[in-house]
Amino acid sequence: MDRKLFVLLVFTLGLVSTAQAQSRPRRVHTSPTPAWLPRGVLVGASLREELLTTRLKVQWEWAFFQDRKDAFVFLLEGGVG
């Protein structure tokens, strides 16, 4: 094996292991609103057989995992009408 090729291979493989050892800082998304504040509110009304019924729905959302494009969340929704 040519000596220059051997030196080049050793140098290149050394750079690969050094690059893999570098840790990328992971940005964690944090929401500016607190968890107890609802994420969605619906106020509406329905008319059926001359009876007007008002509706109120509230939705909360807790994120277990959130990445740049994906999220795994738990939704809780309740309402009265």
Side-chain angles (χ1 to χ4, degrees):
M1 184 183 278
D2 190 25
R3 185 171 172 87
K4 290 180 183 179
L5 180 62
F6 180 72
V7 171
L8 181 64
L9 283 175
V10 170
F11 180 71
T12 304
L13 291 176
L15 287 178
V16 169
S17 64
T18 305
Q20 287 179 349
Q22 300 287 330
S23 64
R24 283 191 255 159
R26 185 175 172 96
R27 295 187 326 174
V28 177
H29 176 75
T30 56
S31 178
T33 53
W36 53 266
L37 195 64
R39 296 295 189 258
V41 176
L42 170 75
V43 179
S46 61
L47 182 64
R48 184 175 179 186
E49 297 177 7
E50 299 178 3
L51 179 65
L52 182 67
T53 306
T54 59
R55 290 183 154 175
L56 174 67
K57 284 188 176 182
V58 182
Q59 181 185 46
W60 286 272
E61 179 181 301
W62 289 276
F64 291 115
F65 169 77
Q66 187 161 6
D67 203 7
R68 190 173 76 106
K69 292 184 179 180
D70 299 323
F72 182 66
V73 297
F74 175 71
L75 295 174
L76 179 67
E77 181 175 294
V80 294

